[in-house]
């Protein structure tokens, strides 16, 4: 049994996970992002310095055999900051980087929450203007739209950490109480009002007025971001909401969290601007922003919506070895076809009918029957869905025949007429 909070991925689960990853990569590429990665194990202080108290209490940390304090990464952002600050001169700004790390947090496992998850991270580094914030939010929206989700399904709750920093400045909230203040707002939705009021003290009434009526509080940054999203036709996907401040310590500007409209699950994604993290970590003054989207909450939502990963688009062929005497020729042909198509065959002799049955069970598109005709360079190709059967010459003819079947598979998938 896997450890509590950790998942096994049987082939179906892997197919589902990989289909999610494929979509993530596809959308990131369409926005011009390039992929990077880092080690799952990092020096402990990378996270204790920067991630904020909540994540630190959830760390998987230990001493390694060299007596070093290490931790499994609970998030990717400090690693990204480390990578960028170490070699920032090598890259043209702004950087648009993405990654799909597995991350580890010692949380209490429940629906949508485990002790490991995969997290799609997209970050823009070296751009201070709000155009980058708009682009990033458009990207998070388009990522979810790529799975067929629409504005009825999810909402991006937009907020501004700087708004609260300005508020704390105006009210002279002492430096050492600011993190607790932000945390109280972050938790305010999940806690009874009295409890939040206790934490906020004399500022409670004023804070609640803002939380209850977002329109009453001004943020030029959010006005600009909302206008930018409107130009792109994405206004129905966002809602201003000052309760969102993000639990992590490093955010400085526009922040957001994405929720399922039914409001039942935890956030699908979260992120925002963190303009001072690279300076604090590596003494490199570069503005930055990004988001993380977990595979668990998204996966649950997609399962609810009955989204299923698309079948392998490569044509799948099954070799029916009707006469064992010709197995060597069958193998030679199978090897050749595997440059282009997926090919399977029975490992041991079995009845022809049984082989056809296996072909169906394996989800193959065609059966290629091998018998003595192979000596004349001919095979029988049977399309399993239609039962159509034809004799085809091996070589160019067979290649063309199978390529056409594959093309039609794509056409059917895209709802286009057959070629
Ligand atoms: P985060 O809000 O801590 O942000 O996590 C991002 C997403 O990861 C969450 O919205 C949720 O879907 C998923 N997630 C977090 N913890 C768990 C868990 N225990 N089990 C399942 N899913 C989980 C960050 O980690 C930031 N580093 C994101 C970021 C990137 N900010 C800037 N760049």
């Amino acid at each position: 049994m896997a450890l509590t909070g950790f998942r096994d991925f049987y082939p179906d689960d892997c197919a589902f996970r990989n289909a999610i990853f494929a979509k993530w990569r596809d959308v990131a590429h369409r926005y011009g992002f390039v992929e990077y990665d880092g080690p799952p194990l990092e020096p402990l202080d990378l996270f204790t310095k920067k991630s904020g108290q909540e994540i630190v209490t959830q760390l998987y940390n230990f001493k390694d055999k060299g007596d070093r304090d290490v931790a499994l990464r609970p998030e990717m952002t400090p690693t990204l900051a480390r990578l960028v600050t170490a070699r920032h001169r090598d890259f043209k700004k702004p950087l648009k980087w993405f990654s799909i790390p597995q991350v580890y947090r010692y949380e209490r496992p429940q629906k949508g929450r485990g002790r490991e998850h995969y997290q799609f991270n997209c970050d823009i580094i070296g751009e201070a203007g709000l155009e980058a914030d708009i682009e990033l939010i458009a990207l998070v929206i388009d990522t979810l739209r790529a799975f067929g989700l629409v504005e009825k399904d999810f909402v991006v709750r937009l907020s501004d950490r700087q708004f609260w920093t300005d508020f704390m400045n105006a009210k002279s909230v002492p430096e050492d109480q600011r993190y607790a203040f932000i945390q109280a707002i972050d938790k305010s939705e999940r806690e009874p009002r009295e409890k939040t009021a206790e934490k906020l003290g004399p500022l409670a009434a004023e804070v609640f007025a803002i939380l209850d009526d977002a329109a009453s509080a001004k943020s030029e940054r959010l006005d600009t971001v909302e206008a930018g999203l409107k130009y792109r036709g994405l206004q129905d996907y966002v809602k201003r909401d000052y309760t969102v401040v993000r639990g992590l310590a490093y955010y400085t500007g526009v922040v957001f969290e994405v929720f399922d409209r039914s409001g039942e699950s935890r956030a699908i994604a979260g992120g925002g601007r963190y303009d001072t993290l690279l300076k604090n970590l590596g003494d490199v003054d570069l503005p930055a922003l990004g988001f993380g989207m977990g595979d668990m909450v998204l996966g649950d939502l997609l399962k609810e919506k009955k989204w299923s990963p698309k079948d392998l688009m490569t044509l799948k062929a099954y070799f029916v070895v009707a006469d064992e005497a010709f197995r060597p020729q069958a193998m030679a042909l199978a090897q050749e076809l595997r440059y282009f198509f997926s090919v399977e065959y029975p490992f041991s002799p079995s009845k022809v009918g049984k082989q056809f049955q296996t072909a169906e069970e394996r989800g193959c598109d065609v059966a290629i029957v091998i018998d003595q005709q192979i000596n004349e360079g001919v095979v029988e190709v049977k399309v399993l869905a239609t039962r159509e059967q034809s004799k085809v010459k091996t070589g160019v003819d067979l290649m063309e025949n199978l390529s056409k079947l594959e093309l039609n598979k794509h056409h059917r998938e895209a709802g286009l007429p057959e070629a």
Side-chain angles (χ1 to χ4, degrees):
M1 258 244 291
L3 283 171
T4 310
F6 286 78
R7 294 169 292 174
D8 291 321
F9 290 90
Y10 285 90
D12 276 355
D13 310 310
C14 250
F16 189 77
R17 184 185 79 184
N18 290 344
I20 291 180
F21 289 6
K23 283 263 178 257
W24 281 348
R25 286 204 167 90
D26 177 43
V27 184
H29 288 139
R30 281 193 270 136
Y31 272 72
F33 281 62
V34 291
E35 191 163 356
Y36 70 97
D37 204 356
L41 197 66
E42 289 275 20
L44 175 65
D45 65 1
L46 182 66
F47 305 113
T48 49
K49 265 201 247 153
K50 285 297 142 222
S51 290
Q53 205 43 51
E54 185 164 313
I55 261 192
V56 170
T57 59
Q58 298 168 344
L59 276 176
Y60 271 94
N61 61 303
F62 52 94
K63 273 199 193 293
D64 74 2
K65 289 181 178 161
D67 211 30
R68 294 174 205 91
D69 283 309
V70 293
L72 285 168
R73 61 185 171 201
E75 58 155 342
M76 196 59 169
T77 313
T79 299
L80 171 66
R82 184 174 66 65
L83 260 66
V84 172
T85 51
R87 283 188 42 197
H88 66 102
R89 285 195 188 84
D90 296 348
F91 306 107
K92 254 200 152 13
K93 316 300 177 295
L95 273 61
K96 298 197 288 182
W97 285 15
F98 81 95
S99 191
I100 308 180
Q102 190 172 23
V103 298
Y104 308 85
R105 297 182 189 180
Y106 196 87
E107 289 200 56
R108 195 164 59 79
Q110 50 192 282
K111 192 171 158 49
R113 188 179 308 211
R115 288 184 174 164
E116 53 74 22
H117 68 279
Y118 289 90
Q119 204 188 71
F120 179 44
N121 276 253
C122 293
D123 292 83
I124 302 175
I125 294 175
E127 176 56 56
L130 286 169
E131 198 53 42
D133 301 66
I134 299 166
E135 175 81 344
L136 190 77
I137 295 165
L139 170 55
V140 85
I141 294 171
D142 263 347
T143 304
L144 294 173
R145 294 208 299 189
F147 293 97
L149 300 172
V150 292
E151 70 271 28
K152 289 196 300 294
D153 300 315
F154 70 92
V155 59
V156 180
R157 290 162 60 183
L158 260 188
S159 181
D160 183 1
R161 181 74 87 88
Q162 186 62 43
F163 168 86
W164 286 116
T165 308
D166 294 345
F167 181 91
M168 291 186 288
N169 288 342
K171 306 290 170 193
S172 309
V173 176
E175 217 36 71
D176 61 347
Q177 287 171 26
R178 291 189 171 198
Y179 186 66
F181 179 87
I182 290 291
Q183 286 290 310
I185 295 173
D186 185 43
K187 297 254 171 335
S188 65
E189 263 191 321
R190 284 158 276 155
E191 274 178 359
R193 277 258 148 133
E194 310 80 71
K195 194 157 178 203
T196 310
E198 218 172 277
K199 291 183 189 167
L200 294 172
L203 294 173
E206 230 173 307
V207 170
F208 288 145
I210 295 165
L211 299 184
D212 293 342
D213 179 14
S216 69
K218 291 271 151 275
S219 161
E220 270 178 35
R221 275 175 297 276
L222 291 184
D223 292 345
T224 307
V225 169
E226 283 166 357
L229 290 167
K230 197 162 178 211
Y231 293 141
R232 297 170 185 229
L234 300 175
Q235 68 278 9
D236 294 340
Y237 288 92
V238 291
K239 183 173 181 284
R240 191 182 293 207
D241 181 344
Y242 288 102
T243 34
V244 174
V245 286
R246 309 278 299 130
L248 295 160
Y250 46 68
Y251 293 103
T252 54
V254 172
V255 287
F256 55 90
E257 277 184 347
V258 186
F259 286 89
D260 171 5
R261 284 268 185 198
S262 74
E264 275 155 29
S265 8
R266 67 177 301 187
I268 306 168
R273 226 177 225 287
Y274 52 98
D275 281 347
T276 51
L277 181 66
L278 277 75
K279 177 110 184 86
N280 294 342
L281 254 178
D283 208 19
V284 173
D285 201 359
L286 278 174
L289 64 160
F291 71 79
M293 177 184 292
D295 70 324
M296 286 183 75
V297 186
L298 175 64
D300 286 347
L301 182 62
L302 294 177
K303 280 181 185 152
E304 242 169 66
K305 304 266 173 212
K306 307 266 184 269
W307 181 84
S308 61
K310 293 279 171 284
D311 202 6
L312 187 67
M313 276 294 112
T314 311
L315 188 82
K316 289 163 112 178
Y318 194 86
F319 270 46
V320 171
V321 185
D323 187 337
E324 280 297 325
F326 302 100
R327 185 176 274 268
Q329 287 94 320
M331 292 305 94
L333 186 58
Q335 208 59 29
E336 198 181 306
L337 294 183
R338 273 186 174 156
Y339 275 113
F340 306 99
F341 310 106
S342 155
V343 177
E344 292 188 84
Y345 57 86
F347 287 137
S348 55
S350 75
K351 294 215 170 71
V352 169
K354 179 91 197 327
Q355 294 186 48
F356 272 105
Q357 197 187 334
T358 311
E360 304 257 9
E361 285 164 4
R362 310 278 310 165
C364 292
D365 304 292
V366 291
I368 297 176
V369 185
I370 308 290
D371 54 21
Q372 78 288 346
Q373 299 178 85
I374 190 97
N375 278 342
E376 282 90 60
V378 173
V379 291
E380 208 66 58
V381 174
K382 185 167 181 181
V383 180
L384 293 171
T386 60
R387 312 263 156 211
E388 261 172 72
Q389 194 161 331
S390 50
K391 280 192 200 318
V392 184
K393 275 181 114 72
T394 56
V396 179
D397 280 5
L398 181 61
M399 235 23 129
E400 280 185 356
N401 187 292
L402 298 180
S403 301
K404 192 165 166 210
L405 290 171
E406 185 174 87
L407 184 67
N408 277 333
K409 189 174 174 178
H410 283 272
H411 278 212
R412 272 196 304 280
E413 185 59 44
L416 298 169
E418 302 226 335

